[in-house]
Amino acid sequence: MSDVDHTQPEGGAPNPTSKMARRRARELALQGVYQWLLSGNSTNTVQRHLESETENLDRIDRELFVTLLRGAAGGADELRGDFEPLLSRPLAELSPIEHAILLLGSYELRHNIETPYRVVINEAIELAKGYGGTDGHKFVNGVLDRLAGRIRPEEVEAARAKRG
């Protein structure tokens, strides 16, 4: 699933694979991972709760939402192992929002290879700006940018070479 924008189908119904539908999926996944971190509930329970409480669920890329929620929560230990060495403070000192965003961003960098790394980072920055603390987006940007260099070195190097 790439982040290339798709046109709206005939009849004006929302396209669940549009850029906005993917952004909403990431926002809902953030809410889910945040809820999972704080409550300790299963991802099934969190998913059911969010889906029952979310208006206009048909405007969300549900496949991306479920993939991100289950992937970030289910692979949390491995994902933390990826980004924890890059943190400037102990993991326990992260806000739950920063923690959730880093889990989601790390998951996408590692497993959603078809989504360009810059898109993953930019989406994480937007989540941090919208839901995190004052400078949380700068912190998230720094961690995920370094992580992208480790997980996707060829893609990062090619992008840097292209910029000159």
Side-chain angles (χ1 to χ4, degrees), residues 38-99:
L38 293 181
S39 72
N41 289 334
S42 72
T43 54
N44 285 338
T45 300
V46 169
Q47 179 185 336
R48 280 194 310 274
H49 174 259
L50 288 172
E51 288 176 340
S52 72
E53 297 291 320
T54 301
E55 293 182 23
N56 300 319
L57 196 58
D58 61 329
R59 293 184 176 195
I60 294 171
D61 183 335
R62 187 173 181 281
E63 182 181 345
L64 180 61
F65 158 63
V66 171
T67 297
L68 292 176
L69 173 62
R70 292 175 183 269
D77 290 337
E78 176 188 8
L79 298 169
R80 287 182 191 114
D82 288 342
F83 68 74
E84 193 168 10
L86 306 173
L87 299 177
S88 58
R89 58 185 180 252
L91 181 67
E93 291 180 14
L94 292 182
S95 75
I97 287 291
E98 289 171 341
H99 190 171

Side-chain angles (χ1 to χ4, degrees), residues 40 70 115 151:
R70 292 175 183 269
T115 304
I151 292 178

